[in-house]
């Protein structure tokens, strides 16, 4: 089976060239300048990887990525970006693109990236890895939750494993034999989401030629994973509330409710209590969802898991790519441990897999990781810099500096001495 790539760029001449070049490399390519067109393709065909421009009229690359993630949370997605817009490329990675390539690039460079990203696209179940205290507690919770049938609210930053946990809860529950259905509230326009979730009767709106079951119905007896619930519109929120209270849904254009038996797992990386305060999230729905909240800690708060996860991802990629044994040098592990991981486990996985593929050597050194040094500052470092700055501004007057920093003179002396010692 050929690898299928979808290519989106508003520059017709560029995609024509890219398409030709990639086809020469043995890929099957669908190329378009129209994001709507691309979305339809993605929903109806199997694709293995997406390449998209960032700057486009109407829907830009970020918006497109968001929509793709609603249907394929982990499909490899490479941004093409103009030189000089590195910042947007980096924020793209946090927005869950898997990679980016700077213009101008050669087709061989692109081919390397494609290969690296394809291999990181694991299909099938992943084991939950982690042995830090935070993770052990979370896993113990998971076990208890799986044994019950209540609504679960998964909270945590992007890439902390919310979807992984949702699947695991389903797998370990008595509903495991029925469907696990997932939909993201941020992925589609409201009206489309509504008809997808709740279904419709023939004639409910123009284009509704036949009755259609909603996805909640498809998940009957199973588990429904409602992702990015923080983005649900007021209308959707009311309907979900009804589902939770009455255990029934009303398809669009119908007056007759349908009973459904689903367990709801909702997730968001937004701060829901803040959304409550702003009035953009209903309080009654919040309490209904918040029966069992499970908070997945960010990776920087459980650094003990970093080496474990890194080794795990490395082993996995080496086996899959037949790279032989590869290992992380101790100084690499140190760098990994220090880094703050704004993209959490997902980012770690990408970093490791990319390093494994791009390096020719058996031992992966820090230079293969490609982590920006400036983002890896520790709290200690930031504090030291601040202390040094204040002391400098006070012309070395330690009493004055201590007052500004809100610490005792003794503390300041001690810290300042150790900073100077480290600098030597
Ligand atoms: N503890 C873990 N052990 C192994 N793999 C993990 C773990 N946590 C996360 N992952 C992997 O990291 C990636 C991101 O996880 P997941 O998609 O579940 O995150 P998420 O919280 O849903 O993120 P987002 O908010 O961006 O949707 C996945 O490939 C997942 O398999
Ligand atoms: Mg997710």
């Amino acid at each position: 089976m050929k690898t299928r790539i979808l290519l989106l760029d508003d520059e017709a001449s560029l995609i024509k060239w890219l398409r030709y070049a990639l086809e020469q490399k043995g890929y099957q390519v669908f190329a378009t300048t129209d994001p709507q067109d691309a979305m339809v393709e993605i929903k109806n065909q199997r694709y293995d990887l997406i390449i998209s421009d960032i700057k486009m009229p109407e829907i830009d690359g970020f918006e497109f990525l968001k929509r793709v993630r609603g249907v394929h949370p982990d499909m490899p997605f490479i941004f093409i970006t103009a030189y000089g817009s590195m910042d947007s490329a980096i924020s793209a990675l946090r927005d869950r693109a898997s990679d980016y390539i700077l213009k101008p690039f050669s087709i061989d460079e692109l081919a390397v990236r494609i290969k690296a990203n394809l291999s990181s696209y694991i299909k099938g179940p992943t084991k939950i890895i982690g042995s830090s205290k935070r993770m052990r507690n979370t896993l113990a919770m998971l076990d208890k939750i799986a044994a019950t049938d209540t609504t679960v609210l998964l909270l945590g930053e992007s890439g902390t494993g919310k979807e992984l946990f949702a699947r695991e809860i389903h797998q370990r529950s008595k509903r495991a034999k029925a469907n696990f259905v997932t939909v993201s509230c941020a992925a589609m326009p409201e009206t489309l989401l509504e008809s997808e979730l709740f279904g419709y009767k023939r004639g409910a709106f123009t284009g509704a030629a036949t009755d259609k079951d909603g996805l909640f119905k498809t998940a009957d007896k199973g588990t429904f994973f409602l992702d990015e619930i923080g983005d649900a519109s007021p209308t959707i929120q009311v309907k979900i509330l009804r589902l939770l209270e009455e255990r029934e849904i009303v398809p669009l254009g119908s007056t007759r409710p349908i009973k459904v038996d689903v367990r709801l797992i909702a997730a968001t990386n937004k701060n829901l209590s803040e959304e409550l305060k702003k009035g953009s999230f209903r309080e009654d729905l919040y309490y209904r969802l918040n029966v069992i909240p499970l908070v997945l800690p960010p990776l920087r708060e459980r650094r003990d898991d970093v080496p474990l996860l890194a080794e795990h991802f490395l082993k996995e990629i080496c086996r899959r790519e037949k790279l032989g044994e590869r290992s992380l040098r101790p100084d690499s592990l140190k760098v990994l441990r220090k880094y703050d991981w704004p993209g959490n486990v997902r980012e770690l996985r990408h970093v490791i897999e990319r390093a494994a593929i791009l390096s020719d050597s058996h031992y992966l050194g820090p230079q293969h990781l490609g982590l920006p040094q400036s983002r890896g500052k520790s709290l200690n470092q930031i504090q030291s810099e601040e202390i040094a700055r204040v002391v400098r501004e006070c012309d070395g007057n330690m009493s004055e500096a201590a007052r500004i920093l809100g610490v005792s003179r003794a503390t300041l002396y001690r810290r300042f001495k150790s900073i100077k010692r480290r600098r030597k």
Side-chain angles (χ1 to χ4, degrees):
M1 226 178 1
K2 274 194 179 176
T3 300
R4 293 171 57 93
I5 296 178
L6 184 132
L7 191 61
L8 172 66
D9 196 308
D10 59 329
E11 213 179 302
S13 57
L14 178 74
I15 57 173
K16 202 169 156 195
W17 166 72
L18 271 181
R19 181 190 168 154
Y20 173 77
L22 290 173
E23 279 173 353
Q24 292 297 304
K25 298 229 174 239
Y27 294 113
Q28 198 164 330
V29 182
F30 175 85
T32 177
T33 53
D34 178 7
Q36 310 279 7
D37 203 21
M39 274 320 292
V40 171
E41 269 300 305
I42 290 163
K43 281 186 188 157
N44 294 317
Q45 297 282 338
R46 172 186 69 86
Y47 280 95
D48 303 295
L49 182 137
I50 295 172
I51 301 172
S52 165
D53 194 11
I54 292 185
K55 265 207 197 121
M56 292 179 289
E58 290 169 58
I59 298 179
D60 71 1
F62 292 108
E63 181 57 32
F64 177 61
L65 170 64
K66 202 163 132 193
R67 294 189 189 180
V68 170
R69 284 293 173 248
V71 242
H72 296 291
D74 280 306
M75 185 182 299
F77 188 113
I78 303 178
F79 268 133
I80 301 176
T81 171
Y83 197 75
S85 52
M86 267 305 278
D87 284 350
S88 65
I90 287 170
S91 66
L93 288 189
R94 289 191 206 173
D95 266 7
R96 307 172 49 189
S98 49
D99 208 350
Y100 58 87
I101 186 160
L102 291 176
K103 272 185 208 172
F105 53 84
S106 72
I107 195 70
D108 286 327
E109 270 173 82
L110 181 63
V112 170
R113 295 298 173 80
I114 289 175
K115 200 159 178 290
N117 280 277
L118 277 175
S119 52
S120 72
Y121 188 28
I122 311 177
K123 296 172 188 82
T126 326
K127 265 199 319 197
I128 296 177
I129 305 288
S131 68
S132 63
K133 195 151 179 266
R134 295 284 298 270
M135 208 53 188
R136 286 203 312 271
N137 289 342
T138 319
L139 285 166
M141 278 284 280
L142 176 105
D143 253 339
K144 283 191 198 143
I145 288 171
T148 71
D149 203 33
T150 50
T151 305
V152 181
L153 180 61
L154 289 171
L155 300 168
E157 291 175 14
S158 181
T160 46
K162 295 184 293 297
E163 176 150 1
L164 181 66
F165 268 72
R167 283 181 193 281
E168 194 66 20
I169 291 170
H170 173 71
Q171 288 301 320
R172 294 191 197 178
S173 78
K174 61 174 196 222
R175 293 174 177 266
K177 287 213 180 77
N179 288 333
F180 177 86
V181 179
T182 151
V183 167
S184 159
C185 297
M188 308 172 215
E190 181 191 351
T191 45
L192 186 60
L193 178 65
E194 204 179 339
S195 64
E196 290 272 313
L197 289 177
F198 301 97
Y200 51 82
K201 296 303 274 182
R202 190 167 78 117
F205 47 86
T206 23
T210 52
D211 291 2
K212 190 174 175 265
D213 277 346
L215 289 169
F216 278 124
K217 189 86 183 59
T218 317
D220 201 25
K221 307 266 183 306
T223 307
F224 199 96
F225 179 50
L226 201 53
D227 208 356
E228 307 195 50
I229 185 106
D231 292 292
S233 70
T235 318
I236 303 275
Q237 289 181 35
V238 176
K239 291 198 151 195
I240 294 166
L241 183 64
R242 183 195 173 108
L243 168 71
L244 289 173
E245 281 176 345
E246 317 284 340
R247 298 283 148 191
E248 58 187 32
I249 52 170
V250 184
L252 292 175
S254 165
T255 46
R256 193 177 304 159
I258 302 174
K259 285 273 167 216
V260 286
D261 168 24
V262 296
R263 175 195 217 166
L264 193 72
I265 303 181
T268 180
N269 50 34
K270 281 197 174 164
N271 184 340
L272 276 190
S273 27
E274 233 148 65
E275 301 296 311
L276 281 187
K277 273 188 222 139
K278 275 196 286 179
S280 52
F281 204 82
R282 295 179 67 105
E283 207 166 346
D284 44 8
L285 177 59
Y286 177 70
Y287 290 117
R288 277 275 169 191
L289 290 172
N290 205 21
V291 185
I292 307 187
L294 185 61
V295 183
L296 299 184
L299 196 50
R300 66 181 166 282
E301 286 175 17
R302 47 181 169 109
R303 293 183 193 270
D304 287 349
D305 287 340
V306 171
L308 216 64
L309 282 160
E311 307 276 8
H312 169 77
F313 292 138
L314 184 59
K315 218 181 240 156
E316 207 170 56
I317 180 92
C318 290
R319 199 176 47 228
R320 212 166 48 236
E321 286 302 294
K322 307 191 171 54
L323 295 170
E325 282 265 308
R326 299 222 157 159
S327 52
L328 286 154
R329 269 174 29 191
D331 48 348
S332 298
L333 284 171
K334 234 184 188 161
V335 171
L336 291 172
R337 237 173 189 287
K338 264 208 168 140
Y339 181 61
D340 268 344
W341 303 109
N344 294 294
V345 184
R346 179 183 292 113
E347 187 182 8
L348 173 61
R349 198 174 109 184
H350 288 152
V351 165
I352 295 297
E353 298 189 336
R354 191 164 147 168
I357 287 182
L358 295 181
S359 124
D360 312 312
S361 111
H362 172 89
Y363 294 104
L364 306 186
Q367 74 276 20
H368 296 122
L369 303 172
L371 286 176
Q373 299 299 330
S374 59
R375 281 202 280 160
K377 266 187 200 168
S378 68
L379 190 58
N380 214 348
Q381 255 170 305
I382 294 167
Q383 280 183 349
S384 301
E385 280 171 22
E386 182 63 9
I387 289 170
R389 187 183 65 80
V390 173
V391 171
R392 213 167 37 242
E393 274 173 13
C394 297
D395 289 329
N397 181 337
M398 297 302 260
S399 313
E400 174 73 349
R403 200 183 50 77
I404 291 172
L405 290 162
V407 295
S408 71
R409 265 177 59 118
T411 306
L412 181 59
Y413 262 115
R414 192 162 28 82
R415 285 294 301 264
F416 194 61
K417 251 210 259 153
S418 80
I419 294 169
K420 282 208 297 202
R421 212 173 28 240
R422 247 179 291 142
R423 290 231 171 113
K424 271 176 208 155

